[in-house]
Amino acid sequence: MTPLLPFFCVLAVLAFPAIAQVTDSTAVIEDTIIPTEAQTEKAGLDLEIGELIIDNTFSKAGNDFQQMFNTRWIWPEQSAEEFIITISEKPSFVNSTIVEITINELKVFESFLQPRYDILEETAVQAIDITLQYILNYEDVVKELSGEDLSGSGIY
């Protein structure tokens, strides 16, 4: 058993620097790649996504609808709010599905999708019009609801 003892000693000696190296490289990665809060504030790296369209479709018709929506969609310039549009799809009858568009988790559009291309185009244009009207009217509704005539004094 004594001839194996030097082999295990050499193996143990070789293993320790590898473990130390993994720990050191992890520390280097954490220090250089992952910024701390102070570094992000200092560098001004605050990332905010204000205009995002999420695709939760699964069928060919749903994917075609989402592509038509994305190619025709133009974000309104006057909007100062952050909106996240989600296009999702639910299964329905034999060859149709239900597409649903939500803005900031509020449903604004829902319709049946059929696999015919011309009907998909019409539905996409209709969805764009309704979604755009919601976004444009959102600021007006918020202004109306925050007006003085609707704010209470706290006295019943």
Side-chain angles (χ1 to χ4, degrees):
M1 288 199 191
T2 54
L4 292 177
L5 186 59
F7 175 71
F8 286 119
C9 291
V10 170
L11 185 62
V13 170
L14 293 175
F16 283 115
I19 293 171
Q21 183 179 5
V22 169
T23 306
D24 292 338
S25 63
T26 305
V28 169
I29 290 172
E30 289 176 351
D31 292 341
T32 57
I33 296 177
I34 304 171
T36 62
E37 285 185 33
Q39 291 173 341
T40 55
E41 290 175 5
K42 181 178 168 183
L45 297 176
D46 293 331
L47 177 65
E48 293 184 17
I49 299 175
E51 299 174 347
L52 180 66
I53 299 176
I54 300 173
D55 177 20
N56 286 338
T57 59
F58 55 86
S59 70
K60 170 88 168 94
N63 188 25
D64 290 344
F65 173 83
Q66 183 268 339
Q67 287 179 356
M68 287 180 208
F69 187 92
N70 279 343
T71 55
R72 290 178 172 86
W73 177 256
I74 299 173
W75 288 96
E77 293 182 18
Q78 68 185 28
S79 176
E81 293 290 324
E82 297 176 356
F83 294 105
I84 297 176
I85 298 174
T86 304
I87 302 174
S88 57
E89 187 178 12
K90 297 185 287 190
S92 183
F93 299 113
V94 176
N95 64 348
S96 67
T97 59
I98 298 174
V99 69
E100 183 178 278
I101 296 179
T102 58
I103 299 177
N104 296 344
E105 299 181 8
L106 180 70
K107 186 188 330 181
V108 286
F109 180 79
E110 183 177 54
S111 178
F112 285 102
L113 282 185
Q114 294 181 3
R116 290 183 39 201
Y117 191 80
D118 56 338
I119 295 176
L120 282 175
E121 279 184 325
E122 292 174 14
T123 308
V125 168
Q126 182 183 13
I128 288 171
D129 291 341
I130 292 172
T131 305
L132 186 62
Q133 286 303 313
Y134 174 84
I135 290 175
L136 292 175
N137 293 335
Y138 181 80
E139 292 178 357
D140 295 335
V141 170
V142 169
K143 285 178 188 176
E144 288 178 12
L145 291 176
S146 65
E148 284 189 31
D149 57 341
L150 293 178
S151 62
S153 62
I155 300 173
Y156 295 103

